[in-house]
Amino acid sequence: MLKEQTLTFAKPHNVQNANCVVMVPPKEFKFNAETAEDNEFQHQVDLTTQQIREKTMVEFKAMVASLRREGVQVVEFDYPLSDVETPDAVFPNNWFSTTIGGSLYTFPMACENRQHEVRPDALIEALTASGRHVTHQDSLEDYLSDNAHLESTGVMVIDHLNKTIYAALSQRCDREVLEDYAKRTGYGRVVSFQTALPSGHPIYHTNVMMAIGEGFCVICDEVIPEFERRFVLKSLAKDKQVISISIEQMNRFCGNILQLETVNGDKVIAMSQSAFDAFSPAQRAQLSSHGKLLPFDVRTIEDIGGGSVRCMLGEVFLPKRVNAL
């Protein structure tokens, strides 16, 4: 005789750090000419498409295996193919976000071929199979009709503990959409600012220049105009150890890191090997006080895609389903 099954949901242990991430295999990965128009971190390489995909798949699989060994839950989203290739699908954090209340948000992507990455139904199916529960869906994609964009946690670096969103404004981060998202999620404070690279162009994604953990922040503050820089740093320093990085370190993806939590509640900080090597010994020591450093060799993905480890991790804050018989 079957027993009645009751579903209950356990909230994540930590508000700032996810203990589960979505990762997408780079099965269509290649240089994306559309995104390269405003992403100065992308580079062409002398490899065939087949060689690129073989190398990036090795990098991806090694990163997934290592995270799982450390105790971070990884949901591999092996998305369904369509008629349009999605070369940047390996960077899922740009098109969705989740909350501890069970909400899934999808976002208006700036590049047309990246808009095809947005597959909420397939993602919900993968999350449900992994024991995570979506209770509410919301989309900001209607802003595409106004040519306004907001590329999720690519452009928003979020201090969940203080309900504050930090964002570098650009064509991928529209102020109106940003403030609408903050209103929908109840995050009452938005700190938006301008940036300028040596070329004079703005940073394409905030998460290449800064990262926020539970008790620290890494930031390339020299790309922020001085009158705004002081305000941003003062805001961060209220309860974070601020670790300032140079433009050269930013170019090695020192800002593109992410603090996570294991199933045992331990803190880890995911970053690329390039970033790990570019941090000074003193900076590595500072970061190590906030969690075990996990460097991953993703140099092919970095060079061609212009994004690094943090971009490859879509945080899952959704409640975990616990089956009770």
Side-chain angles (χ1 to χ4, degrees):
M1 181 178 177
L2 292 175
K3 295 181 179 180
E4 183 178 352
Q5 185 182 63
T6 304
L7 299 181
T8 57
F9 300 96
K11 288 187 177 181
H13 175 68
N14 188 285
V15 175
Q16 179 64 32
N17 302 319
N19 59 15
C20 176
V21 292
V22 168
M23 294 186 67
V24 179
K27 58 188 182 183
E28 296 182 294
F29 187 79
K30 63 180 181 180
F31 183 84
N32 190 344
E34 284 190 37
T35 56
E37 292 183 8
D38 68 340
N39 182 348
E40 297 184 19
F41 294 79
Q42 289 180 237
H43 303 95
Q44 294 271 24
V45 298
D46 189 20
L47 295 170
T48 66
T49 299
Q50 182 62 29
Q51 289 172 326
I52 288 170
R53 289 176 183 171
E54 288 175 357
K55 289 172 69 71
T56 55
M57 194 62 76
V58 169
E59 294 173 358
F60 170 83
K61 288 181 177 179
M63 183 172 161
V64 170
S66 181
L67 283 168
R68 285 174 171 165
R69 281 196 302 271
E70 292 295 333
V72 177
Q73 184 183 3
V74 178
V75 179
E76 283 193 64
F77 179 41
D78 194 5
Y79 63 95
L81 296 175
S82 67
D83 294 336
V84 179
E85 277 196 332
T86 52
D88 282 336
V90 73
F91 303 133
N93 81 306
N94 300 151
W95 68 264
F96 80 90
S97 71
T98 61
T99 72
I100 61 173
S103 294
L104 172 72
Y105 290 85
T106 53
F107 293 85
M109 305 282 284
C111 294
E112 194 276 335
N113 65 11
R114 295 214 65 189
Q115 292 167 14
H116 292 273
E117 296 174 29
V118 184
R119 300 175 173 95
D121 292 341
L123 177 61
I124 289 172
E125 184 178 339
L127 289 167
T128 300
S130 300
R132 300 288 171 156
H133 189 60
V134 175
T135 60
H136 172 254
Q137 279 184 259
D138 198 358
S139 172
L140 291 94
E141 293 171 83
D142 286 348
Y143 280 102
L144 287 172
S145 61
D146 298 325
N147 198 32
H149 311 107
L150 187 72
E151 296 194 343
S152 189
T153 52
V155 296
M156 297 184 293
V157 176
I158 304 177
D159 180 353
H160 295 285
L161 297 177
N162 292 308
K163 292 191 175 297
T164 300
I165 300 173
Y166 292 85
L169 299 173
S170 69
Q171 70 166 351
R172 303 199 195 193
C173 182
D174 180 90
R175 190 191 301 273
E176 180 184 352
V177 193
L178 173 66
E179 292 177 352
D180 187 6
Y181 174 77
K183 182 178 179 180
R184 296 188 196 196
T185 56
Y187 277 44
R189 187 163 177 260
V190 174
V191 179
S192 59
F193 49 88
Q194 304 292 332
T195 60
L197 293 165
S199 65
H201 297 135
I203 293 284
Y204 83 102
H205 274 167
T206 315
N207 74 3
V208 296
M209 62 161 287
M210 71 180 295
I212 291 177
E214 194 174 59
F216 73 91
C217 172
V218 172
I219 182 169
C220 182
D221 52 284
E222 65 180 285
V223 301
I224 305 174
E226 185 177 353
F227 71 96
E228 291 182 306
R229 183 189 314 157
R230 290 194 296 269
F231 179 81
V232 173
L233 291 176
K234 183 178 180 181
S235 176
L236 291 165
K238 288 178 181 177
D239 60 354
K240 311 288 183 191
Q241 179 183 29
V242 178
I243 301 171
S244 182
I245 58 173
S246 66
I247 289 179
E248 182 180 359
Q249 288 177 306
M250 178 185 69
N251 290 339
R252 299 278 297 279
F253 295 101
C254 288
N256 200 243
I257 69 176
L258 182 65
Q259 187 181 42
L260 296 167
E261 187 170 313
T262 71
V263 290
N264 296 322
D266 298 323
K267 307 294 190 303
V268 296
I269 303 175
M271 65 182 65
S272 71
Q273 187 66 52
S274 300
F276 180 87
D277 293 341
F279 280 119
S280 70
Q283 289 171 328
R284 284 196 291 268
Q286 287 176 312
L287 286 169
S288 294
S289 69
H290 298 282
K292 180 180 179 180
L293 306 188
L294 301 181
F296 305 104
D297 183 355
V298 292
R299 68 187 73 182
T300 315
I301 293 171
E302 284 180 328
D303 288 347
I304 299 170
S308 187
V309 164
R310 195 276 170 265
C311 300
M312 296 171 66
L313 301 170
E315 293 158 285
V316 178
F317 291 101
L318 299 169
K320 189 172 183 178
R321 188 172 63 237
V322 180
N323 293 341
L325 294 179

